[in-house]
C-alpha cells in the first residue's frame, strides 16, 4: 500500500468513526503518514481546541486508529497550529493532565 492509500484509510476512519469532530465544529487533518514505519500524525483543531473532551478524543484516536487500520502501528494526535490553532490552549493543556482522561473510552 502507498502512503497515499494509508492516508486515505486514516482519513476515512476519522470521518466515519469520529464524526463528532466535524459535527461539533472541529476539524482534523492527516499531517504525516510514514508507510515504512507504520506511523501517522493527525492534527485536530477548530472547536476541538476549547472542548472539554478534546484530550479524551485525542487519546482515544491514538489508541483506536492503529487497531482499525492494520498498516498503522502508532498514531500521534496533536493540536492544529496556524489559523485553526487552539482557542484556549492553556485550558486544554490543563485538561490533558487530568487523571480522569487516562482510562476514558469514548463510544467510537
Amino acid at each position: 500500500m502507498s502512503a497515499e492509500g494509508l492516508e486515505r484509510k486514516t482519513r476515512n476512519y476519522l470521518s466515519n468513526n469520529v464524526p463528532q469532530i466535524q459535527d461539533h465544529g472541529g476539524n482534523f487533518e492527516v499531517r504525516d503518514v510514514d508507510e515504512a514505519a507504520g506511523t501517522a500524525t493527525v492534527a485536530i483543531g477548530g472547536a476541538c481546541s476549547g472542548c472539554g473532551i478534546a484530550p479524551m478524543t485525542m487519546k482515544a484516536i491514538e489508541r483506536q486508529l492503529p487497531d482499525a487500520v492494520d498498516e498503522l502501528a502508532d498514531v500521534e494526535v496533536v493540536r492544529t497550529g496556524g489559523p485553526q490553532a487552539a482557542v484556549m490552549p492553556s485550558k486544554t493543556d490543563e485538561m490533558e493532565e487530568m487523571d480522569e482522561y487516562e482510562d476514558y473510552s469514548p463510544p467510537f
Side-chain angles (χ1 to χ4, degrees):
M1 171 179 294
S2 69
E4 290 175 2
L6 186 52
E7 180 179 341
R8 188 175 340 101
K9 279 186 162 185
T10 301
R11 193 172 37 257
N12 287 342
Y13 172 84
L14 292 167
S15 294
N16 294 326
N17 295 288
V18 197
Q20 63 268 38
I21 290 175
Q22 293 172 318
D23 290 348
H24 294 161
N27 56 61
F28 68 85
E29 69 175 295
V30 179
R31 283 241 176 111
D32 183 53
V33 172
D34 184 334
E35 180 187 15
T39 62
T41 302
V42 175
I44 64 171
C48 291
S49 301
C51 176
I53 66 166
M56 293 184 277
T57 301
M58 293 169 75
K59 288 181 183 187
I61 291 169
E62 287 175 345
R63 285 193 309 261
Q64 295 178 13
L65 186 52
D67 290 340
V69 178
D70 292 335
E71 297 85 1
L72 285 176
D74 188 50
V75 174
E76 178 184 20
V77 181
V78 298
R79 281 184 250 129
T80 301
Q84 298 177 2
V87 178
M88 300 169 53
S90 62
K91 189 68 169 172
T92 306
D93 287 341
E94 290 173 24
M95 289 184 286
E96 286 177 357
E97 300 301 319
M98 295 175 69
D99 292 336
E100 290 87 349
Y101 296 145
E102 282 303 312
D103 297 321
Y104 175 73
S105 182
F108 58 82

